[in-house]
């Protein structure tokens, strides 16, 4: 069967996987799971059988659904190794995974939709307060990633040299999200340059939320 | 040099790595980074040069520090493959990583110390409100992990069969944390059984916070 990506255009976790599928030349069918329609399609019985956590993305190449964007990236890397999204040595791979996880664990989970909703429900957080919360974690996290890149000998044009890796697949969607929420990015020049370089390439640009918004 | 683990006994991310090092028989020196002493030793200049994100754990076997617990686990797996912490096939590995990341991305980042501190700073959240916040995310996340285990043919005694994998190395510390905060776990019987089995083994029990608390 043709692989299925359970997708939502604004999800930065899904954005990571869309880039990987394009880079690796995998033809797939996108199945939109609209996170805001009907109280959230991700919470319906149909999608819960795909993703018990009720989160996008999920990927199914006919062997059953895989959830968690980084697990999907590792699976794609093992089953469709070219072009590689991880470098050659264990130490280099550790750097790439460390950067990817710094975004995926330390920034993104604190900023996604369900957390914003819970801040409202639990603390009555206003829209302004929720945006301030997002900006706090994005700034803190991107500052750390910038320092990791600054300490790495090959952090240009991508996080590890000339080819995109899982690190870039996490950084770029996070920057897109930061821009959406009006974050100041002047203090992370390496990240900004990386983002601009990546977005000049079709695999990144065509996977971005604005390029993937569902038609009405 | 002898590998160094930058550690904090209560950190469930560090707990994951302690289990892996014991299972793989790696002798290491633990260097305690006390997250509450002197405003947090993780925020000092010395540790920031190890971990720009100012988070534990970090691991250094002489090739430079690696941050992010799951990146450390993957690095250990690649450099010290026995006993394996990932199963044999890509599809099985995807399951294991998906469970591990469900804990590492969907539960742990929402419950750690800096988030509790920020809930207080940004919203004046009381101790009770912060515990309620933790319990909300732990319950939601563990319920999803329980469903993942229930849908998997080999989820006993460990998440994937007879041997511990990265999935168990994430689940067990999260359960320890859940118990610390008085979470009801009666609704996750597979996870509870897995936890009890794992904690009967020295590699898990000797890595737990209570066994690793610094002496006064």
């Amino acid at each position: 069967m043709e692989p299925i990506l359970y997708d939502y255009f604004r999800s930065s976790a899904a954005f990571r996987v869309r880039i990987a599928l394009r880079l690796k030349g995998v033809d797939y069918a996108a199945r939109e799971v609209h996170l805001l329609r009907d109280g959230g399609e991700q919470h319906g019985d149909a999608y819960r059988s795909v993703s018990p956590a009720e989160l996008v993305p999920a990927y199914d190449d006919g062997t059953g659904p895989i959830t968690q964007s980084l697990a999907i990236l590792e699976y794609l890397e093992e089953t469709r190794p070219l072009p590689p999204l991880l470098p050659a040595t264990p130490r280099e791979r550790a750097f790439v995974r460390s950067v990817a996880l710094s975004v995926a664990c330390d920034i993104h989970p604190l900023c996604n939709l369900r957390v914003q909703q819970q801040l409202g429900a639990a603390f009555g957080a206003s829209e302004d307060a929720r945006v301030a919360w997002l900006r706090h974690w994005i700034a803190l996290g991107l500052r750390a990633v910038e320092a990791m890149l600054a300490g790495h000998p090959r952090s240009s044009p991508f996080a590890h040299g000339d080819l995109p890796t899982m690190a870039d697949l996490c950084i770029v969607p996070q920057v897109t999200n930061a821009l959406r929420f009006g974050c100041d990015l002047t203090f992370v020049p390496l990240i900004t340059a990386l983002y601009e370089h990546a977005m000049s390439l079709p695999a990144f640009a065509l996977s971005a939320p604005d390029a993937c918004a569902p038609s009405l």
Side-chain angles (χ1 to χ4, degrees), chain A:
Chain A
M1 66 178 251
E2 187 176 46
I4 297 168
L5 177 66
Y6 296 88
D7 196 11
Y8 182 62
F9 74 111
R10 275 222 192 285
S11 161
S12 57
F15 185 178
R16 298 170 194 155
V17 178
R18 293 195 297 263
I19 302 165
L21 292 168
R22 268 181 214 279
L23 285 170
K24 289 179 178 290
V26 179
D27 287 327
Y28 69 94
R31 200 163 293 178
E32 184 86 2
V33 181
H34 201 299
L35 303 193
L36 296 170
R37 189 186 291 148
D38 299 333
E41 291 178 354
Q42 73 278 24
H43 301 308
D45 290 341
Y47 189 64
R48 197 184 305 114
S49 70
V50 172
S51 168
E54 304 171 18
L55 295 167
V56 291
Y59 177 76
D60 189 349
D61 65 1
T63 63
I66 300 172
T67 59
Q68 291 292 334
S69 61
L70 293 186
I72 297 168
L73 296 187
E74 295 276 357
Y75 178 76
L76 290 172
E77 187 70 2
E78 293 182 351
T79 55
R80 301 176 182 258
L82 296 178
L85 297 176
L86 286 171
T89 72
R91 193 61 189 74
E92 292 171 323
R93 284 196 288 278
F95 173 76
V96 165
R97 287 186 174 117
S98 175
V99 172
L101 287 158
S102 292
V103 174
C105 294
D106 296 346
I107 307 177
H108 177 254
L110 294 160
C111 302
N112 66 9
L113 177 64
R114 62 186 197 147
V115 172
Q116 295 179 59
Q117 291 170 335
Q118 186 66 11
L119 289 173
F123 304 109
S126 66
E127 174 72 19
D128 283 353
R130 282 181 279 162
V131 170
W133 169 273
L134 293 176
R135 288 180 180 165
H136 171 80
W137 297 112
I138 292 172
L140 201 64
L142 288 185
R143 198 181 295 272
V145 170
E146 181 81 5
M148 294 170 82
L149 296 180
H152 189 65
R154 298 182 55 195
S155 59
S156 174
F158 285 108
H160 180 76
D162 293 332
L163 297 174
T165 65
M166 291 183 193
D168 308 288
L169 271 55
C170 290
I171 290 172
V172 168
Q174 187 59 63
V175 171
T176 299
N177 206 33
L179 293 170
R180 179 180 169 214
F181 289 104
C183 298
D184 172 25
L185 295 180
T186 54
F187 66 98
V188 288
L190 296 173
I191 289 173
T192 307
L194 182 159
Y195 174 79
E196 285 172 6
H197 174 68
M199 288 295 277
S200 72
L201 306 176
F204 286 83
L206 295 175
S207 304
D210 286 350
C212 298
S215 48
L216 295 177

